[in-house]
Amino acid sequence: MKRIVPILVLLLASSCGSGDGDLSASPAISTVPGLTPTPTPSPTPSPSATATSGPLALSGNISAVHDPAILKDGNTYYLFTTGNAGDVEGLLGLRTSTDLKDWTLHGGSYTALPAWAKTAVPGATGMWAPDISKVNGQYRLYYSISTFGKNQSAIGLATATKIDPNAPAANWVDQGPVIQSQTSDNFNAIDPMAFVDADGRYWMVFGSYWSGIKLIRLDPATGLRLAGDAAPRSLAERPAPDAIEGPYIIRHGDFYYLFASFDACCQGAKSTYYTVVGRSSAPDGPYVDRDGKAMLKGGGTVMLTNGQGDGSRFVGRGGVAVLQQTDGDYIVYHAYDTQRNGIPTLQIQRLGWTTDGWPVAQ
């Protein structure tokens, strides 16, 4: 989702976003329109193959964090998040860790919105729901430009050959827009996530509200949209005004898995955000949930409940990214801390897999 407001709501700013990994090395592979979504009752999670252990014990600067995007490169984890002008975190704030648990904030990756964005999306003040990957030695940082409740939006790209925590905005070169949407479109160009399929084709999944989650092809050489690409393909949708956004796709085994956030983010302790998943044998779908319901028909197997009504400290769990590693996978997301005025906070959990190939947050 994408929306931002004053600091705390801070990330009232924006939806979901993500971060992947080294796309070149690993073929394996988130604004509400002017509607207030109807909260969905806290769903029941899918059966787990192992006992639930819960989020990792994190320390350091882990709030305010919204729409985390993560990349491990060498011995360092890089985390980028949504940001509005004036936020302490900065625009696309950078955090690093060497153990996935203790996080240090270094500041914004941009000092101001790129000039093109101010013209493309008048009134925009933030850069939302980033996605980070590395392709042939080049870091690619995708981001969203939008305003609350409107789909005059754009997804941009910045590239760098070095990420410098001591000067987080030093090396990024803005490459301009990848895709834009206008009020006449039936989609919203925010919440980007780039991935590579088993055949080496590059894709970007994105979308928030309107007609749901979309998919386009990318040019592997530039990271921008592939010339001559067809109209955005539809992957997942919910009946209006039900909310869906913040898509993230990974490949595991023989399937592609599409994660998405349902319902309302950015309402602090009242947020009803939760995370679902579906899978497909092809990157462009069709995606279905564990019960066989199509995600284009509102399907989605619950991965992370919203936490409302069950005594949870952290609620509204969404805006996910998935970190795939040889020693085990992790799901990375934000949730709102009911003990700290609903501030969005980083959460990381191990991601296990059932015997029939479905992901489970452990």
Side-chain angles (χ1 to χ4, degrees):
M1 227 134 203
K2 254 106 210 123
R3 31 187 163 259
I4 284 195
V5 313
I7 186 164
L8 221 214
V9 200
L10 163 151
L11 298 166
L12 262 194
S14 203
S15 177
C16 305
S18 23
D20 189 11
D22 188 331
L23 298 189
S24 59
S26 177
I29 353 214
S30 351
T31 299
V32 187
L35 298 172
T36 300
T38 301
T40 296
S42 189
T44 302
S46 304
S48 172
T50 58
T52 299
S53 58
L56 302 182
L58 304 183
S59 60
N61 194 304
I62 58 172
S63 61
V65 165
H66 213 272
D67 307 323
I70 192 167
L71 168 73
K72 185 180 183 183
D73 191 37
N75 296 319
T76 302
Y77 295 94
Y78 297 95
L79 190 88
F80 296 85
T81 60
T82 282
N84 246 3
D87 288 345
V88 173
E89 289 74 21
L91 297 170
L92 306 181
L94 169 66
R95 289 171 172 82
T96 60
S97 175
T98 56
D99 61 3
L100 202 58
K101 297 178 181 180
D102 185 51
W103 293 91
T104 300
L105 174 65
H106 301 280
S109 302
Y110 274 69
T111 57
L113 267 64
W116 69 264
K118 298 176 184 178
T119 302
V121 188
T125 61
M127 302 176 77
W128 300 343
D131 176 69
I132 181 67
S133 56
K134 189 179 182 183
V135 179
N136 296 324
Q138 181 186 69
Y139 299 97
R140 294 179 177 177
L141 180 60
Y142 294 94
Y143 57 85
S144 310
I145 302 289
S146 190
T147 56
F148 184 83
K150 296 182 180 180
N151 72 327
Q152 183 174 352
S153 307
I155 292 169
L157 169 64
T159 59
T161 56
K162 178 183 179 182
I163 299 176
D164 184 357
N166 294 315
N171 300 301
W172 294 105
V173 178
D174 195 84
Q175 304 296 339
V178 178
I179 185 171
Q180 300 181 59
S181 57
Q182 305 297 331
T183 55
S184 56
D185 290 315
N186 71 346
F187 63 90
N188 194 12
I190 61 175
D191 291 6
M193 185 267 162
F195 68 98
V196 183
D197 69 18
D199 296 320
R201 296 175 297 179
Y202 284 62
W203 302 86
M204 174 180 283
V205 62
F206 67 93
S208 171
Y209 283 72
W210 276 266
S211 60
I213 305 306
K214 306 298 181 181
L215 184 74
I216 58 173
R217 290 281 305 278
L218 296 179
D219 184 334
T222 65
L224 298 173
R225 191 172 183 182
L226 186 68
D229 184 39
R233 305 147 182 84
S234 294
L235 298 187
E237 189 172 351
R238 299 180 79 198
D242 293 346
I244 179 173
E245 61 185 7
Y248 201 95
I249 291 178
I250 64 170
R251 183 164 65 88
H252 178 85
D254 296 329
F255 294 97
Y256 297 86
Y257 292 82
L258 169 58
F259 298 80
S261 297
F262 280 8
D263 285 6
C265 86
C266 313
Q267 297 180 14
K270 296 181 179 179
S271 299
T272 56
Y273 231 22
Y274 67 99
T275 300
V276 303
V277 67
R279 74 182 185 186
S280 172
S281 59
D284 53 352
Y287 287 86
V288 300
D289 66 18
R290 196 171 189 173
D291 295 326
K293 184 176 181 179
M295 293 191 77
L296 279 169
K297 299 293 184 180
T301 297
V302 177
M303 277 286 305
L304 298 168
T305 65
N306 61 33
Q308 294 289 355
D310 64 7
S312 295
R313 174 178 175 178
F314 294 97
V315 301
R317 307 171 181 121
V320 307
V322 176
L323 180 66
Q324 293 179 288
Q325 301 188 131
T326 55
D327 61 347
D329 302 334
Y330 293 86
I331 186 167
V332 182
Y333 59 98
H334 71 255
Y336 302 88
D337 189 344
T338 62
Q339 295 182 15
R340 296 186 60 211
N341 297 318
I343 192 169
T345 302
L346 178 64
Q347 303 277 275
I348 301 175
Q349 284 185 245
R350 287 192 174 275
L351 190 68
W353 296 88
T354 63
T355 55
D356 58 345
W358 286 94
V360 176
Q362 298 179 329

